[in-house]
Amino acid sequence: QKEVEQDPGPLSVPEGAIVSLNCTYSNSAFQYFMWYRQYSRKGPELLMYTYSSGNKEDGRFTAQVDKSSKYISLFIRDSQPSDSATYLCAMSASSAGGTSYGKLTFGQGTILTVHP
Amino acid sequence: DSGVTQTPKHLITATGQRVTLRCSPRSGDLSVYWYQQSLDQGLQFLIQYYNGEERAKGNILERFSAQQFPDLHSELNLSSLELGDSALYFCASSVSQKNTEAFFGQGTRLTVV
């Protein structure tokens, strides 16, 4: 079983829809949670970063972390065709000294298409 | 553009050969990370360097090695290449050792034939 599970989709939605992307994980040591967006033939781009449980909002994007359920979500409001990309969740455990370094564990990525 | 530069963008080589991938981090960044992305394994962490020293190691094969030079650029060396090594190799960099602040380059697509 993989440490991080992510539904690969593909997910196809109409423009303006609310998109929900999710990941589950098994490693209870994970404390840092990230969402990346990757366009075709490009490198991953950091969208959101959350430490421990709770919600974080940035424009049309909201990240939620529920550590009790080992479940994280990314919501995209008013989705646009330019949001069409692969979305990757990533996680990291705290290291000695309380920071996070080294390995990020990624989900497989969800392919999202927003059609006009 | 993230500011992380990787060369070459594409590389085609034969099995058994050795290649070197190069990464120039963003100006001021001290940490460099290497990742491998394949269809079946997804993004896998290989190794992290911080200011010239190895900081963390992932599932990097013994045939692979990396280093970070005094000018902070990094190279990933892949030897005795196999068909299964065909993948996208990404470099990322961050100012500190924190992997939560890393910016990724555009990647090098390696094809082993």
Side-chain angles (χ1 to χ4, degrees):
Chain A
Q1 185 190 2
K2 292 187 177 182
E3 278 189 292
V4 179
E5 298 280 357
Q6 185 177 5
D7 186 342
L11 192 58
S12 181
V13 301
E15 183 175 356
I18 296 175
V19 176
S20 173
L21 304 165
N22 312 293
C23 288
T24 59
Y25 63 95
S26 57
N27 187 347
S28 56
F30 287 147
Q31 292 195 49
Y32 300 85
F33 304 92
M34 284 138 281
W35 285 96
Y36 284 82
R37 177 174 63 195
Q38 186 175 20
Y39 291 115
S40 182
R41 296 190 177 87
K42 301 287 187 183
E45 169 195 0
L46 181 64
L47 282 176
M48 304 281 288
Y49 154 57
T50 310
Y51 172 70
S52 195
S53 283
N55 294 358
K56 187 172 185 179
E57 190 173 319
D58 184 2
R60 296 185 295 112
F61 298 90
T62 299
Q64 286 185 352
V65 175
D66 181 350
K67 289 189 71 180
S68 61
S69 302
K70 296 191 177 66
Y71 188 88
I72 72 169
S73 300
L74 178 71
F75 297 95
I76 307 173
R77 289 184 300 281
D78 188 25
S79 56
Q80 302 295 309
S82 59
D83 294 328
S84 299
T86 297
Y87 289 80
L88 299 143
C89 62
M91 307 179 190
S92 181
S94 183
S95 308
T99 61
S100 172
Y101 63 84
K103 178 181 179 181
L104 284 178
T105 302
F106 282 85
Q108 283 290 98
T110 300
I111 300 169
L112 171 67
T113 301
V114 181
H115 51 86
Chain B
D1 184 2
S2 67
V4 179
T5 304
Q6 290 187 247
T7 57
K9 286 189 171 50
H10 303 277
L11 199 49
I12 302 175
T13 190
T15 54
Q17 295 298 304
R18 172 190 167 94
V19 297
T20 297
L21 312 184
R22 182 187 168 99
C23 171
S24 294
R26 295 186 315 157
S27 177
D29 283 2
L30 299 178
S31 267
V32 168
Y33 313 77
W34 286 99
Y35 283 84
Q36 180 193 57
Q37 187 175 39
S38 60
L39 277 174
D40 55 342
Q41 295 291 324
L43 259 171
Q44 299 282 316
F45 170 72
L46 295 178
I47 197 162
Q48 176 191 3
Y49 281 84
Y50 177 72
N51 205 18
E53 300 289 327
E54 183 182 304
R55 191 68 181 92
K57 207 166 187 175
N59 299 326
I60 187 167
L61 299 173
E62 284 191 15
R63 300 183 286 108
F64 296 1
S65 65
Q67 59 184 125
Q68 186 179 28
F69 294 86
D71 67 353
L72 300 176
H73 92 272
S74 179
E75 292 180 356
L76 179 66
N77 300 296
L78 315 175
S79 61
S80 303
L81 284 166
E82 302 174 359
L83 296 177
D85 298 327
S86 296
L88 264 170
Y89 291 84
F90 286 105
C91 169
S93 73
S94 61
V95 170
S96 69
Q97 302 182 59
K98 294 179 183 178
N99 57 8
T100 53
E101 304 169 343
F103 290 81
F104 281 75
Q106 301 276 51
T108 293
R109 182 173 293 279
L110 173 68
T111 303
V112 183
V113 297

